[in-house]
Amino acid sequence: MTLAATDGCCFLCEGWRVHELPVTDSTNLVAANLAAWEAVRADSQTAGRGRFQRGWVSDEGGLWLSAVVPTGPNASDWQALPLAVGLAVCDALRSIGLKQLRVRWPNDVLVDQRKLAGLLLEQTVPGLAVAGIGINVFNHPETHDPGLTNQTVRLADLMASPPDLRHLTRVVLSRLRSVVGQMQTGGFSALLPRVNQLWGGPRRVELDLDGDLRRGTFAGVGENGELLLLSEAGHKTAYHAHQVRSLREID
Ligand code: BTN
């Protein structure tokens, strides 16, 4: 979908130009036609998308936001961008008072075992990436998909007065601009120590590599954002996000 001059409204914040829409199919599809440092937020999405072509429930009250970031000419330097975006979202949520966050590689933001936020990174043209960010705030995911019962959590469940969606947009975009700037200057390795603090302790996991299951201990991420899996025999193997259909925590 391409934005027309009459669609929604637009404001400037924190170095971003932000478009707001009452409803769209997917903000990631809208953002595919935007320039660097532009973003789009919709009150609801009719075809919200998750990783691996899964759907994403996007009823009113959640933050459904897609932001376009420049990735520079060397694509391999930016493989870790999803993790950098996860760091920015966690920084933003911490700054509004949330303490007990963790990330499940590559980019599910959890509180205990429940999903608070999901990220979908897509590269539509060389040099630009769309960072799709979904955060449950006041919405009711399980009403729209009973399969999500006890799987999700919202800011409204975690704090007395969650910020309104426009304020949350500003905070998230501000942190995203800052993290991308740090990556431009120092590379992903400048972020790596902070990213590796997001996971919350060693965990036994099972990876689904499109039907091929591998078990081991999650040992953080490497220089390019790849997952490091430690086998029982003590061998460390690296996996990239596109190889891993899902990661399940097993103990
Ligand atoms: C996942 O957990 O699988 C990723 C979910 C990403 C959802 C966000 S909501 C804003 C943006 N638009 C989409 O269609 N998806 C992302």
Side-chain angles (χ1 to χ4, degrees):
M1 178 186 163
T2 308
L3 278 177
T6 49
D7 285 335
C9 67
C10 174
F11 64 95
L12 301 177
C13 85
E14 311 285 348
W16 294 87
R17 183 179 185 84
V18 186
H19 305 268
E20 290 189 305
L21 299 171
V23 61
T24 190
D25 45 7
S26 159
T27 53
N28 266 31
L29 294 178
V30 178
N33 295 302
L34 298 180
W37 308 121
E38 286 193 88
V40 55
R41 184 186 74 75
D43 291 337
S44 65
Q45 300 183 114
T46 55
R49 298 154 67 220
R51 291 181 70 228
F52 291 105
Q53 313 302 328
R54 299 182 189 113
W56 177 261
V57 173
S58 312
D59 51 323
E60 272 193 34
L63 183 75
W64 320 130
L65 176 70
S66 297
V68 183
V69 298
T71 56
N74 191 356
S76 63
D77 291 346
W78 291 86
Q79 277 174 16
L81 184 61
L83 304 178
V85 176
L87 176 63
V89 169
C90 287
D91 281 352
L93 292 172
R94 288 201 182 107
S95 79
I96 59 161
L98 229 60
K99 300 281 176 242
Q100 64 277 55
L101 295 170
R102 67 184 180 95
V103 174
R104 181 171 57 197
W105 185 92
N107 43 31
D108 291 339
V109 180
L110 306 180
V111 173
D112 298 326
Q113 297 300 323
R114 296 189 182 208
K115 188 154 166 171
L116 175 63
L119 312 174
L120 177 64
L121 271 285
E122 296 183 295
Q123 183 131 39
T124 45
V125 291
L128 293 180
V130 172
I133 299 166
I135 304 179
N136 296 314
V137 185
F138 303 102
N139 53 310
H140 296 279
E142 70 293 343
T143 306
H144 295 266
D145 178 357
L148 294 174
T149 305
N150 297 332
Q151 305 293 313
T152 59
V153 67
R154 313 162 309 150
L155 287 183
D157 302 320
L158 301 168
M159 54 204 307
S161 309
D164 65 53
L165 297 179
R166 193 176 266 193
H167 180 74
L168 193 57
T169 299
R170 287 177 188 274
V171 176
V172 168
L173 290 178
S174 165
R175 299 294 169 146
L176 183 58
R177 181 110 199 185
S178 160
V179 161
V180 171
Q182 291 166 43
M183 207 164 155
Q184 283 170 328
T185 314
F188 178 67
S189 54
L191 305 179
L192 191 55
R194 285 165 63 211
V195 166
N196 268 331
Q197 282 172 359
L198 298 174
W199 319 113
R203 279 169 205 280
R204 293 260 308 143
V205 296
E206 181 179 79
L207 308 184
D208 178 351
L209 310 176
D210 222 1
D212 179 10
L213 303 182
R214 305 279 166 89
R215 286 186 170 202
T217 301
F218 176 75
V221 300
E223 291 285 324
N224 294 311
E226 68 278 23
L227 176 157
L228 303 174
L229 189 73
L230 188 63
S231 71
E232 289 194 350
H235 300 302
K236 223 179 237 184
T237 310
Y239 296 96
H240 289 280
H242 68 267
Q243 297 176 277
V244 182
R245 209 175 160 74
S246 68
L247 175 151
R248 192 167 67 85
E249 295 172 347
I250 47 181
D251 322 303

